[in-house]
Amino acid sequence: MKITIDTTEKTLVLHSGAKDTNLPLYSKEAFEAISDVWVKVGWEQKYSYSFTWLGRPIVQLPEDILRMQEVIFSVQPDVIIETGVAHGGSLVFSASLCKAMGKGRVIGIDIEIRPHNRKAIEEHLLSSYITLIEGSSTASEVVSHVKSLIHEGETVLVILDSCHTKEHVVNELAAYHPLVTKGSYIVATDGIMRDLSDLERGQPEWIWDNPSSAAEEFAEAHSQFVLEQPKWLFNQSGLAKNITYWPSAFLRRVSA
C-alpha cells in the first residue's frame, strides 16, 4: 500500500496495485488510513515508552488507556487481575480508578518483578490497592493463589499483558477466563503485533503468533464470550474505529 497526501489539494490517495482510491484529506476514511500508518510508525519509534501514570512508567498507547478507563468504569469490578507488571504503571492506573470509584483492588502477576520496580510499587501512595504475585501467570500454583484472593460474588475483570506469544495467551485465556464474571471482560492486549511483522523491531512469525489470533480462536470455541469492541461512552464524531495496539482484544462474557 502506498499513500499520497496532498495538503494543497486536500486529498489523500491510496495506491493498491492497479487501483487508486481518492479521498478527501479531512474525511473519516483518510483519518483511518493515516491512523493505521501512524500507529505503526509510533510503535517502531517506541512512542508508548514516553508516558507515566502517577509517577510510574506506563507502556501503553494513550487511547488504549482511556478506553480501558471507560471499560473499568462501566464494569465497576471488585478485582482487576493484570498479567505483566513491568514498571507498574498499568497497576497504578487501575488502582487509581479503584480509588476514584470507591471500590476495587488490583492483582498484578509477573514471572519476574525487578527489585527496583517492586520497591517503587510497594512505596507508591496507591500500594494498598495492589497485590503483587511473582511467578509465571500460567503456573498452576499462581492461578490457584489468584483464585484464593477472590471472594464469592465479586466482579472480576482480567487484562492479559505479559508474554504475547499466541501459545502463552491461549494458556492464559484457559487459566483465567473462568474467573471473569458475566458482563465483564478478559482482554488480550497488543494484538497489533500481527500488523508489525514487517518492521525492523518486528518478527515475521508475528503474522500468526500474536494475542489477537489467540483471542479470536478462543471466541470461536467459547460461546459464553463474544469478541467485540466495547461501546464508546461518548461520541459526537463520525468515527467508530479505535486507534489501538489492542485489535481483537476485548472478550466480553455474555453467559455463565
Side-chain angles (χ1 to χ4, degrees):
M1 175 71 73
K2 178 180 178 181
I3 297 177
T4 300
I5 296 174
D6 188 329
T7 57
T8 301
E9 296 297 324
K10 300 179 182 177
T11 60
L12 182 147
V13 183
L14 300 175
H15 308 275
S16 180
K19 181 182 179 182
D20 290 349
T21 302
N22 292 271
L23 301 171
L25 179 56
Y26 299 106
S27 65
K28 171 187 175 183
E29 293 77 12
F31 175 80
E32 291 178 350
I34 293 168
S35 296
D36 288 343
V37 176
W38 179 84
V39 164
K40 294 181 70 173
V41 175
W43 185 87
E44 185 70 19
Q45 294 300 315
K46 303 182 81 169
Y47 170 67
S48 62
Y49 287 73
S50 63
F51 302 96
T52 63
W53 190 272
L54 298 182
R56 296 307 301 154
I58 181 168
V59 186
Q60 304 289 358
L61 197 65
E63 178 161 332
D64 288 329
I65 297 170
L66 284 175
R67 297 300 177 195
M68 193 70 244
Q69 170 270 144
E70 291 180 342
V71 169
I72 290 173
F73 184 73
S74 296
V75 173
Q76 296 278 312
D78 298 293
V79 184
I80 302 171
I81 300 167
E82 299 191 24
T83 66
V85 169
H87 302 279
S90 291
L91 299 182
V92 171
F93 166 76
S94 295
S96 69
L97 296 177
C98 291
K99 181 176 177 63
M101 294 186 299
K103 66 175 299 185
R105 62 190 186 280
V106 186
I107 301 171
I109 308 155
D110 206 305
I111 195 166
E112 179 188 8
I113 303 173
R114 296 179 179 178
H116 64 282
N117 287 329
R118 177 183 288 276
K119 182 174 186 292
I121 295 167
E122 291 179 344
E123 292 179 354
H124 196 275
L125 57 88
L126 294 173
S127 62
S128 62
Y129 290 85
I130 300 171
T131 299
L132 294 174
I133 299 175
E134 187 164 6
S136 171
S137 59
T138 58
S140 58
E141 64 272 17
V142 169
V143 177
S144 294
H145 186 185
V146 173
K147 289 179 179 178
S148 73
L149 299 175
I150 299 170
H151 308 306
E152 185 176 356
E154 289 190 313
T155 298
V156 179
L157 184 147
V158 180
I159 305 169
L160 307 178
D161 193 16
S162 58
C163 175
H164 295 306
T165 64
K166 180 182 177 181
E167 180 182 12
H168 186 79
V169 177
V170 163
N171 291 335
E172 285 188 323
L173 287 167
Y176 292 98
H177 84 267
L179 303 181
V180 179
T181 41
K182 184 179 176 181
S184 188
Y185 295 84
I186 184 166
V187 188
T189 70
D190 286 336
I192 189 67
M193 287 168 57
R194 68 181 176 188
D195 297 321
L196 306 173
S197 61
D198 61 332
L199 301 188
E200 185 176 346
R201 293 177 55 227
Q203 300 291 334
E205 64 270 19
W206 286 2
I207 292 175
W208 61 268
D209 190 15
N210 62 72
S212 290
S213 295
E216 289 162 359
E217 287 188 9
F218 177 88
E220 290 179 1
H222 296 79
S223 61
Q224 66 269 45
F225 286 84
V226 294
L227 188 62
E228 63 180 20
Q229 174 183 297
K231 182 179 179 181
W232 296 359
L233 301 184
F234 172 78
N235 185 12
Q236 289 188 349
S237 75
L239 303 173
K241 180 181 176 182
N242 287 23
I243 301 172
T244 182
Y245 285 176
W246 301 358
S248 296
F250 287 85
L251 288 153
R252 182 170 64 88
R253 185 156 205 157
V254 295
S255 63

